[in-house]
Amino acid sequence: MSGRILVSACLLGQPVRYDGGAKTLQNELLDQWQAEGRVVPLCPEVSAGFPTPRAPAEIAPGTSGADVWRGAGQIREDTGRDVTETFRRGAQIAVAHARKAGCRFALLIDGSPSCGSTFIYSGMFDGQKRVGQGVVAAALREDGVQVFAPSDIEALAQALTGETRNA
């Protein structure tokens, strides 16, 4: 099936976030895509071995998810523990999962050091946001997957429509 979408599992109501919760996205388009069998759920952090719940983690100030993906940035928990390699493993798993399932699109929760596609947190654990992307979003984009945040779900629908016409 064309138009498969890798979706952050927390958006589908799975309690996999660092705080043990979900960020369930109530949206008719997402419901429709699930009914059509297009949705491929994944939590890259849990897939990489992180427990739920787990300590909050942020990408270090001055670096991005792309830097982390290339081995030039760090992700640290609020305790100071370096968890970069586990996040990189999650990104590798996400890319492999997307390839295997034929996902050319991804709908990822924003703000996450893994899945953030338009913003991430400052890296100072102060609640401040900054423009940027998480390591999974960066890795998927580098692999040719179009990545969307929940706030851009209409743009994802347009991209899917364009792919269907071209199939």
Side-chain angles (χ1 to χ4, degrees), residues 11-12 24 117:
L11 291 173
L12 299 170
T24 307
S117 60

Side-chain angles (χ1 to χ4, degrees), residues 75-135:
I75 301 177
R76 293 195 175 273
E77 292 179 339
D78 63 353
T79 62
R81 185 170 75 118
D82 185 336
V83 289
T84 305
E85 289 310 310
T86 308
F87 275 88
R88 290 185 77 230
R89 185 169 45 255
Q92 293 165 343
I93 291 167
V95 168
H97 200 63
R99 284 180 182 171
K100 184 176 180 183
C103 297
R104 296 188 47 212
F105 304 95
L107 180 64
L108 305 179
I109 186 69
D110 227 347
S112 160
S114 289
C115 296
S117 60
T118 64
F119 77 87
I120 54 176
Y121 286 91
S122 72
M124 303 294 290
F125 299 94
D126 57 7
Q128 298 298 309
K129 298 173 185 175
R130 61 179 162 127
V131 172
Q133 63 183 342
V135 64

Side-chain angles (χ1 to χ4, degrees), residues 16-30:
V16 293
R17 289 176 41 84
Y18 76 95
D19 60 3
K23 279 280 191 177
T24 307
L25 178 61
Q26 299 293 332
N27 185 282
E28 290 179 15
L29 288 169
L30 185 55

Side-chain angles (χ1 to χ4, degrees), residues 1 3-4 31-32 53-54 57-58 79 81 106 113 120 122 127 130 133 144 152-153 162:
M1 168 188 290
R4 307 264 344 250
D31 293 344
Q32 174 187 333
R54 55 191 168 275
E58 294 184 6
T79 62
R81 185 170 75 118
I120 54 176
S122 72
R130 61 179 162 127
Q133 63 183 342
D152 297 325
I153 197 164

